[in-house]
Amino acid sequence: MVKDDQDPDIIEVSEEQLERGLALPDSSLPERLYVIPISNKPFFPAQVQPIVVDDEPWASTIERVAKTPHRCLALCYAPEPDDGVLLTDRFERMGCVVRIHNVVRDEGKIQFIAQGIRRTWVHQWLHKSPPLMAGVTYPYPREEDAQEVKAYGIAIIDSIKELVSINPLYTEELRDYLDRFSPNDASPLTDFAAGLTTAEPEDLQEVLDAVPLLKRMEKVLLLLKKELEVARLHLQINRQV
């Protein structure tokens, strides 16, 4: 255990390493993973974001993961329970395996950078109290019509670009990041697009559950269209004021 009076554990990782990790499939992922729930919304492959969890009860989980060679854990969406009871039955079975970087422990909280790698399916709970551990598998989408996938990919890119152009909340960095995607990167592009939206967690979980690529792209395109409708309405209202 890391004591409160010790310096935080910081593991440095460069931006280049994070970006490279997004594109590379990992063929050596473990069959058992520690699991941490997230209550705001599901986490997607192709995302690289900070995650903050309570020191208690998750410190031991992070410490154990940090000692593994793969430094991976599963993030599964679980709504904040009204009764405050942690039950694995309330966790979504489809989650995201992430590699943890830059772990910092301070004032009762632990923050780390989560680098999304791929979908993972919890098929068995091996330990149902923290540190949670599960037996997992990694679903692969079957090959689908390349031209249809490319067409959906172009539609998703166009929708994101329009959303970025009319919503001032999106930064120039995001625009630059978007330029790195292409219709040929359909799976990470689709997951990245889903993570951009303000859709309800349940709708985002449906996207995460969708392993078939075309089915997933259809769902994300609908979410983007809803996002665009709201953004256009806000823009129209602002112009009238």
Side-chain angles (χ1 to χ4, degrees), residues 25-124:
D26 195 322
S27 60
S28 58
L29 291 171
E31 296 179 354
R32 299 188 301 172
L33 283 173
Y34 289 106
V35 181
I36 287 181
I38 48 176
S39 59
N40 55 340
K41 63 179 182 178
F43 198 93
F44 284 91
Q47 285 186 309
V48 179
Q49 290 185 355
I51 298 291
V52 179
V53 297
D54 291 330
D55 187 281
E56 178 61 38
W58 304 114
S60 62
T61 300
I62 299 298
E63 289 168 4
R64 294 182 187 206
V65 171
K67 293 176 182 177
T68 64
H70 51 76
R71 300 179 62 84
C72 289
L73 58 81
L75 294 178
C76 292
Y77 173 66
E80 195 73 40
D82 294 332
D83 55 12
V85 178
L86 181 69
L87 296 174
T88 54
D89 291 345
R90 297 171 176 173
F91 286 37
E92 293 289 344
R93 303 295 292 273
M94 186 73 80
C96 181
V97 57
V98 303
R99 184 166 285 117
I100 65 171
H101 304 278
N102 297 22
V103 179
V104 178
R105 184 178 179 184
D106 187 38
E107 296 184 355
K109 299 289 184 181
I110 300 175
Q111 177 175 295
F112 58 91
I113 301 298
Q115 174 195 348
I117 298 175
R118 63 175 304 109
R119 282 164 173 74
T120 187
W121 174 261
V122 173
H123 67 82
Q124 181 184 12

Side-chain angles (χ1 to χ4, degrees), residues 146 149-155 157 181-187 189 213 217:
V149 168
K150 185 175 182 179
Y152 269 101
I154 292 172
I157 289 175
F181 284 105
S182 79
N184 297 324
D185 301 319
S187 185
L189 168 66
L213 185 53
M217 297 179 89

Side-chain angles (χ1 to χ4, degrees), residues 109-173:
K109 299 289 184 181
I110 300 175
Q111 177 175 295
F112 58 91
I113 301 298
Q115 174 195 348
I117 298 175
R118 63 175 304 109
R119 282 164 173 74
T120 187
W121 174 261
V122 173
H123 67 82
Q124 181 184 12
W125 286 103
L126 303 174
H127 200 264
K128 293 189 175 184
S129 59
L132 304 174
M133 177 171 277
V136 298
T137 57
Y138 304 96
Y140 283 84
R142 59 180 173 81
E143 286 192 19
E144 303 197 54
D145 183 83
Q147 291 303 314
E148 194 170 358
V149 168
K150 185 175 182 179
Y152 269 101
I154 292 172
I156 288 174
I157 289 175
D158 289 344
S159 296
I160 298 175
K161 286 183 176 179
E162 183 179 355
L163 187 61
V164 168
S165 69
I166 63 179
N167 191 331
L169 295 179
Y170 294 112
T171 65
E172 191 63 36
E173 290 181 3

Side-chain angles (χ1 to χ4, degrees), residues 179-227:
D179 288 339
R180 301 173 193 173
F181 284 105
S182 79
N184 297 324
D185 301 319
S187 185
L189 168 66
T190 304
D191 289 335
F192 173 78
L196 280 181
T197 70
T198 57
E200 293 296 321
E202 293 75 16
D203 293 330
L204 292 174
Q205 184 63 44
E206 286 187 11
V207 174
L208 190 63
D209 289 341
V211 176
L213 185 53
L214 282 175
K215 178 181 178 182
R216 193 191 326 159
M217 297 179 89
E218 290 172 2
K219 289 179 179 293
V220 170
L221 200 52
L222 286 175
L223 294 181
L224 287 171
K225 287 182 178 179
K226 291 180 181 178
E227 204 82 9

